[in-house]
Amino acid sequence: MSVRRSQPALFSPGGGLPRGGVAWAWAFSRDFGIVLSVFGLYFLLRGAAPDRLDFSVQVTRVLVASERGLGVFWEPAIQEWSIRSHAVKEFANFVYAYLHFPVLAVVGAWLWTRDRQAFRFMRNVMFISMLFGLVFYWAVPAAPPRLLAANGYDLGFVDTVFGGDTSVSYAQPSLILNEYAAIPSFHFGWIAMASAAIWANTRNLTLRTLALGLTVVMTWAIVASANHLFIDMALGGLVILVSWRLARKIERRGDALREPRMFGAPDEVSAAA
């Protein structure tokens, strides 16, 4: 009698991590390769959105008027207080320019090694949010507050990142550059998503505190560098919330389709059991 040898599993039954260096490297490169490919397409489409300068400035003026009506137009005062110190201004610029994507990468890698299903879920949340973002960038472009003064509407904002007197460089290739993509703010939305991912996947108090701190510090840096209004960030958070719910529905539908089903009348099923 011949004995059939079972093939070694690529993934451990517990944590879902690949067994063996080659399998681990292949799975990691595949999963993050998909993410990077979608990112590349997203930024190309974002950069291809037509420049509608006058329209985008008017949109931001409407958003400012909305904040004034709600009594929350505090951004100029917060920025003025924040940039009194050159060191504090540089810190805000550094956080805005350099911590956004590294945080996403670190949290993504942490999720991947901890729970690949959680990684895929958060990846899907981001992918869905990209679709919403592209609709806004093409249909409702909005100028960041830092560009208002250059277009005749000086509301007290200072361009700290691109206005000189800083060692921070946030230059982007012209192919993906879009100066009028202020809404929704994914500098806020994606950091909030990363914070939510940390919170939902650990009970460690230190990590949860770090998660909250990430969102708080990025929110301040966004305002201190005059890159977004509060309402821009609120829209970014709303897009993430909607994307989260849609990703959860997709996940549940996929789980339902993968469940084994028994067909037949109830009596027949009972008899078969």
Side-chain angles (χ1 to χ4, degrees):
M1 181 177 66
S2 63
V3 178
R4 184 178 180 181
R5 295 182 179 179
S6 59
Q7 296 296 322
L10 288 179
F11 296 90
S12 61
L17 287 178
R19 289 176 173 172
V22 174
W24 194 97
W26 161 248
F28 186 88
S29 61
R30 179 195 60 199
D31 287 349
F32 280 89
I34 292 171
V35 172
L36 291 175
S37 298
V38 174
F39 255 117
L41 179 60
Y42 162 77
F43 277 108
L44 286 173
L45 293 174
R46 178 178 178 268
D51 290 338
R52 298 160 63 190
L53 177 58
D54 292 339
F55 180 84
S56 65
V57 170
Q58 292 304 318
V59 168
T60 302
R61 292 185 67 194
V62 170
L63 297 177
V64 168
S66 300
E67 287 196 353
R68 280 176 166 162
L70 295 170
V72 295
F73 184 57
W74 306 326
E75 293 92 338
I78 293 173
Q79 188 193 38
E80 191 276 330
W81 172 82
S82 299
I83 65 176
R84 290 177 184 176
S85 164
H86 181 74
V88 175
K89 181 184 74 171
E90 285 290 83
F91 178 67
N93 290 345
F94 180 90
V95 170
Y96 182 84
Y98 297 148
L99 290 191
H100 187 219
F101 290 111
V103 165
L104 294 177
V106 169
V107 172
W110 175 76
L111 278 179
W112 194 89
T113 58
R114 185 179 182 87
D115 183 346
R116 292 182 71 245
Q117 182 61 30
F119 166 83
R120 286 191 290 265
F121 173 75
M122 298 310 303
R123 176 202 65 188
N124 293 343
V125 173
M126 178 175 284
F127 287 174
I128 295 170
S129 72
M130 288 176 178
L131 296 176
F132 283 109
L134 289 172
V135 171
F136 273 95
Y137 303 150
W138 282 75
V140 194
R146 61 181 174 80
L147 291 181
L148 291 179
N151 289 280
Y153 302 100
D154 191 351
L155 301 179
F157 292 108
V158 178
D159 188 349
T160 64
V161 177
F162 299 96
D165 192 29
T166 180
S167 60
V168 171
S169 176
Y170 194 51
Q172 301 177 41
S174 58
L175 193 63
I176 66 172
L177 178 64
N178 185 340
E179 292 272 34
Y180 308 105
I183 56 173
S185 169
F186 283 151
H187 255 81
F188 173 82
W190 284 348
I191 289 295
M193 180 194 69
S195 297
I198 295 172
W199 188 278
N201 287 279
T202 184
R203 294 186 179 275
N204 184 284
L205 181 59
T206 300
L207 289 178
R208 284 189 162 188
T209 302
L210 175 63
L212 291 176
L214 285 172
T215 298
V216 171
V217 171
M218 182 58 76
T219 300
W220 166 76
I222 288 170
V223 176
S225 59
N227 275 285
H228 293 282
L229 299 168
F230 287 132
I231 199 166
D232 303 346
M233 291 185 271
L235 285 170
L238 179 61
V239 167
I240 293 300
L241 180 61
V242 173
S243 300
W244 189 296
R245 294 179 65 89
L246 289 174
R248 186 65 73 194
K249 287 184 177 181
I250 293 171
E251 182 181 63
R252 288 172 179 167
R253 179 168 295 183
D255 290 342
L257 291 174
R258 285 189 292 270
E259 288 179 358
R261 296 183 178 182
M262 298 183 69
F263 296 94
D267 293 340
E268 294 173 351
V269 173
S270 298

